[in-house]
Amino acid sequence: MEIRETRAVDRTKLLALYPKAFPEEDLTAVVAALLDREDVLSLTAVAGDPIGHVAFTRCGPDRSGALLGPLAVSPDNQAAGIGTALVRAGFDRLTEGGVHQVFVLGDPSYYQRFGFEAEHSVEPPYALPAEWDGAWQSVSLAGRAPLPAGPLSLPAPWMDRSLWAP
Ligand SMILES: CC(C)(COP(=O)(O)OP(=O)(O)OC[C@H]1O[C@@H](n2cnc3c(N)ncnc32)[C@H](O)[C@@H]1OP(=O)(O)O)[C@@H](O)C(=O)NCCC(=O)NCCS
């Protein structure tokens, strides 16, 4: 298994991987939009074919933050460390690129292994439902200063309200 930056040749297979990893959510539009952007770090795990993917969208002042998501590993390859390896490879590249803080909306029981903690200062673009308490999280990279408090500015693909609601 190799983790590398996503290539144009991966696109069709990645767009087919997401409905398998997320059978109850349609992430095709946001993934397709993120794959086209230069402000997105997109990494693919490859073992012959793509078997996992993560995107990090640069955001905030001077693009010093990044939003992690989505993250998907094909069902046949889950629980083998691939998701963890994708996130850690992303952190290494983002740190080199000057990113201070990474945000995620996700299950704390998964993301706490990377040092993510509930974020109360920087806000997501839309208010989240009460049942998602604790799901909005962040981690500071390499002990660098956090982003200023307030709503996080994100590019257009993330301003679809349905991405921030059950
Ligand atoms: C979540 C996901 C990206 C993790 O990738 P992975 O390669 O399977 O996970 P890893 O091998 O790195 O880590 C395995 C650990 O994650 C846990 N885990 C897997 N899916 C999880 C989930 N949806 N929620 C919480 N924990 C999860 C496993 O229980 C295991 O825990 P352990 O290390 O304490 O035993 C992958 O399982 C996936 O694509 N799931 C479906 C899509 C999804 O839910 N993505 C969003 C994540 S919020």
Side-chain angles (χ1 to χ4, degrees):
M1 194 272 294
E2 176 200 8
I3 292 178
R4 55 154 173 75
E5 295 208 10
T6 302
R7 299 175 185 163
V9 69
D10 301 332
R11 185 184 181 91
T12 305
K13 286 187 171 149
L14 290 180
L15 291 176
L17 183 158
Y18 269 90
K20 292 181 195 149
F22 290 89
E24 290 168 11
E25 251 178 290
D26 185 1
L27 296 174
T28 306
V30 70
V31 174
L34 295 177
L35 291 178
D36 287 337
R37 296 185 65 93
E38 54 77 33
D39 56 355
V40 172
L41 170 65
S42 172
L43 298 177
T44 298
V46 186
D49 280 332
I51 55 170
H53 177 254
V54 66
F56 294 89
T57 303
R58 298 286 294 257
C59 55
D62 303 324
R63 294 184 177 178
S64 56
L67 177 70
L68 190 173
L71 166 66
V73 175
S74 65
D76 290 348
N77 294 284
Q78 290 177 4
I82 295 167
T84 300
L86 281 163
V87 172
R88 293 204 189 286
F91 281 8
D92 289 345
R93 286 169 171 77
L94 293 169
T95 303
E96 284 169 17
V99 167
H100 295 205
Q101 195 171 10
V102 180
F103 299 86
V104 73
L105 179 64
D107 186 340
S109 70
Y110 184 67
Y111 286 103
Q112 68 186 9
R113 73 194 64 218
F114 306 107
F116 280 98
E117 294 179 350
E119 171 63 42
H120 301 293
S121 171
V122 176
E123 299 157 16
Y126 301 103
L128 300 174
E131 70 257 36
W132 284 4
D133 193 32
W136 176 242
Q137 301 155 77
S138 79
V139 60
S140 289
L141 296 184
R144 312 230 352 227
L147 267 63
L152 187 61
S153 57
L154 285 165
W158 285 111
M159 297 313 289
D160 174 350
R161 190 181 281 270
S162 70
L163 295 169
W164 303 88

